[in-house]
């Protein structure tokens, strides 16, 4: 049985249009495009509910279009959905990634002249035209009639070369402490439990799907004591182990990314009716 959240088999598309008509199944090779906006929601239907999010510079394969929306799948994990077509542009290889938890680009390379700020999340992918000391000049794609900025600059200290990896998923997850909880969120402006795990693992070069039930297939089952970086699962929820006594997770109880005692979290989650721990997985580090 195929998972509707993942890439349509062989690129075959069957969807309901904005007019409610069911399109015939057909084959399309797809067209790879690149996100050019800080955060782009991945929707269940045109104008529908947010399922996940894409960030600046991520790849998206377009399989179909419908009245301003594009249907396809995310390059990072094959997650299927609809996005606003206006924010998709031709692919250009990124040179850097945002390594700060949150950053921005602005029109002038001057901290006192930040009249307009364009927010960027950890993990955003950018093409740097040149670096001038503390500032990096970006190459940003915009619509032909765009007149809302002249240039794009951001702090060099907030960037890392695209090929570099973070060394520890837990350290990455801890960068998100205090980030608001957002269902389907994937960024430092709002994130959910599986989004946090995916961001942390992918930053360290470990492939990771988008939802917690998919993530239960990662690594190996653990029967002993928890170790740093282990994943602990409940029905519909996932957390990452910080040490033998604590875990970190984005959760609706705190409405934020928070550290919590493993025993306390397990007891609280059971008490609120969401059941016991159903899996404990250990994920191997990426091969370098």
């Amino acid at each position: 049985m195929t998972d509707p959240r993942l890439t349509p088999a062989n690129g075959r598309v069957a969807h309901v249009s904005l007019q409610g008509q069911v399109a015939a199944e057909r084959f399309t090779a797809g067209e790879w495009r690149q996100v050019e906006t800080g955060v782009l929601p991945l929707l269940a239907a045109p104008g529908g509910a947010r399922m996940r999010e894409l960030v600046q510079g991520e790849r998206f394969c377009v399989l179909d279009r419908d009245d301003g929306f594009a249907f396809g799948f995310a390059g990072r994990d094959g997650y299927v959905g609809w996005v606003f077509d206006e924010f998709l542009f031709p692919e250009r290889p990124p040179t850097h990634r945002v390594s700060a938890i949150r950053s921005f680009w602005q029109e002038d390379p001057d901290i006192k002249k930040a009249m307009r700020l364009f927010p960027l999340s950890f993990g955003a992918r950018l093409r740097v035209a040149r670096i001038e000391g503390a500032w990096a000049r970006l190459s940003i794609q915009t619509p032909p009639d765009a007149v809302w900025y002249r240039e794009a600059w951001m702090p060099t200290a907030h960037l890392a070369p695209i090929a570099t990896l973070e060394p520890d998923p837990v350290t990455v997850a801890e960068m998100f402490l205090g980030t608001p909880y957002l269902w389907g969120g994937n960024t430092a402006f709002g994130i959910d439990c599986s989004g946090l795990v995916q961001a942390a693992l992918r930053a360290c070069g470990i492939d990771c799907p988008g939802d917690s039930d998919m993530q239960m297939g990662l690594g190996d089952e653990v029967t002993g004591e928890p170790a740093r970086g282990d994943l602990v699962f409940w029905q519909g929820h996932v957390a990452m182990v910080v040490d033998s006594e604590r875990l970190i997770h984005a959760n609706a109880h705190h409405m934020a990314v928070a550290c919590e005692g493993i025993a306390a979290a397990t007891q609280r989650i059971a008490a609120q009716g969401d059941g016991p721990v159903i899996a404990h997985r250990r994920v191997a580090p990426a091969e370098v």
Side-chain angles (χ1 to χ4, degrees):
M1 183 175 180
T2 58
D3 190 326
R5 294 168 294 179
L6 299 179
T7 307
N10 299 320
R12 292 191 181 278
V13 181
H15 70 272
V16 179
S17 70
L18 283 174
Q19 291 73 38
Q21 300 169 332
V22 178
E25 189 175 87
R26 57 197 183 278
F27 178 82
T28 174
E31 174 193 3
W32 282 103
R33 304 284 280 177
Q34 179 175 305
V35 174
E36 287 283 2
T37 189
V39 182
L40 183 62
L42 184 63
L43 308 173
R50 179 186 57 253
M51 298 188 300
R52 298 252 51 98
E53 293 175 323
L54 305 174
V55 300
Q56 168 75 37
E58 287 200 274
R59 305 174 75 224
F60 185 80
C61 186
V62 177
L63 301 176
D64 201 8
R65 289 182 167 87
D66 193 341
D67 196 21
F69 291 89
F71 173 76
F73 58 91
R76 70 170 178 239
D77 56 14
Y79 212 110
V80 167
W82 294 84
V83 299
F84 295 102
D85 196 16
E86 65 184 295
F87 298 111
L88 299 178
F89 284 77
E91 281 196 282
R92 295 192 302 174
T95 61
H96 291 73
R97 62 181 177 86
V98 175
S99 55
I101 187 60
R102 283 173 287 274
S103 189
F104 54 87
W105 59 265
Q106 62 186 66
E107 295 175 292
D108 299 284
D110 185 334
I111 59 174
K112 297 181 180 180
K113 294 180 67 176
M115 182 173 65
R116 298 182 201 165
L117 296 178
F118 298 82
L120 295 168
S121 173
F122 176 85
R125 302 159 67 85
L126 299 157
R127 188 173 180 86
V128 173
R130 66 180 185 274
I131 292 178
E132 297 184 6
W135 293 91
R137 171 73 155 88
L138 307 179
S139 177
I140 300 291
Q141 300 181 85
T142 62
D145 58 349
V147 295
W148 39 268
Y149 82 97
R150 301 185 304 278
E151 294 184 346
W153 296 83
M154 70 174 293
T156 306
H158 292 178
L159 291 168
I162 193 67
T164 60
L165 298 175
E166 299 293 332
D168 176 38
V170 176
T171 300
V172 175
E174 289 174 330
M175 293 171 63
F176 285 83
L177 281 169
T179 297
Y181 178 82
L182 176 67
W183 177 271
N186 280 88
T187 79
F189 305 107
I191 201 162
D192 67 7
C193 64
S194 57
L196 178 67
V197 166
Q198 187 181 56
L201 293 182
R202 285 185 57 83
C204 300
I206 303 169
D207 284 337
C208 179
D211 286 345
S212 61
D213 61 329
M214 302 175 183
Q215 293 168 355
M216 276 196 289
L218 295 172
D220 299 308
E221 183 63 24
V222 177
T223 57
E225 291 298 311
R228 184 176 177 87
D230 286 358
L231 301 180
V232 180
F233 295 88
W234 292 261
Q235 190 66 43
H237 187 62
V238 61
M240 182 174 285
V241 173
V242 175
D243 54 38
S244 61
E245 296 183 353
R246 298 178 301 148
L247 52 74
I248 184 169
H249 56 160
N251 65 93
H253 175 75
H254 296 94
M255 284 306 294
V257 176
C259 272
E260 192 172 2
I262 296 174
T266 300
Q267 186 176 44
R268 176 179 59 76
I269 291 170
Q272 68 190 29
D274 292 327
V277 171
I278 59 174
H280 179 186
R281 309 288 291 185
R282 184 159 298 159
V283 182
E287 294 184 6
V288 179

